Amino acid sequence: MNEITIHGNLTANPELRYSAGGVPVLTLTVAVNRSRYDRRSGGYTNLPPVFHRIVAFNQLAENAAASLTKGATVTITGQLADDSYLKDGERRRGVKLEAAEIAASLRYATAEITRNKRPDTDAGPAPEPLPGSTTEDTAA
C-alpha cells in the first residue's frame, strides 16, 4: 500500500458536509512547518510552510469534525489522490491526501476519548451451542 504521513497544524476549522448520497465528507488544510540546518550560521533557517489538502469520509470525517479546531496539531496518514478539475476550460491539476487515520497531538493539548458505538456491531442472535455441550454450559 502506498501511504504517506504528514504532521502539522490545521489552518482553519474542518469543514464537514454530506454528499448527495448522505456520505460525510470532511475537508481540511494542514500546514507543515519546515526548517533546514545552515552550516554557515550553525543554526536552523525556517523555510516557507507547505500546505496539504486533506479529505476524510464516513465516521472518520464526523469524528474529526467533532474533535478538531483551527490550530490543532495533527498527524494524518493516508493515500495521495488526484484532484484534477476544469476551470474556465483549463485543466487544473492537484493532489490531495485521502485520510485513513487522523490523530491529534497531545504535546500541547489534552483530549478525552469517547468510543462511538459502531453501527455494524449489534449483538444479533445468540450463538449456537457447541456439539456435546449442555444448556448449563452455554448459560454462563
Side-chain angles (χ1 to χ4, degrees):
M1 183 175 255
N2 192 12
E3 284 190 342
I4 67 165
T5 300
I6 63 168
H7 181 78
N9 299 320
L10 297 183
T11 61
N13 287 329
E15 295 178 22
L16 180 65
R17 63 180 176 81
Y18 292 86
S19 71
V23 176
V25 179
L26 181 80
T27 55
L28 50 97
T29 302
V30 174
V32 177
N33 295 315
R34 306 176 304 145
S35 62
R36 179 179 297 152
Y37 184 74
D38 184 356
R39 290 182 187 176
R40 283 183 250 155
S41 69
Y44 285 90
T45 303
N46 289 330
L47 300 173
V50 174
F51 297 92
H52 296 278
R53 294 177 45 204
I54 314 295
V55 64
F57 301 97
N58 300 316
Q59 191 69 49
L60 178 60
E62 292 179 324
N63 290 346
S67 304
L68 301 173
T69 59
K70 177 181 178 178
T73 303
V74 294
T75 301
I76 301 174
T77 301
Q79 293 183 327
L80 292 177
D82 182 45
D83 192 24
S84 299
Y85 58 95
L86 286 175
K87 183 175 182 179
D88 301 327
E90 184 179 329
R91 184 85 160 148
R92 306 268 178 138
R93 295 199 50 105
V95 175
K96 64 183 172 188
L97 177 62
E98 288 186 7
E101 297 289 336
I102 300 175
S105 172
L106 300 180
R107 179 181 279 176
Y108 302 113
T110 60
E112 181 177 324
I113 305 300
T114 305
R115 284 193 176 262
N116 293 338
K117 184 176 183 306
R118 292 178 52 184
D120 60 328
T121 58
D122 292 334
E128 293 289 324
L130 296 173
S133 66
T134 65
T135 55
E136 295 167 357
D137 293 337
T138 58

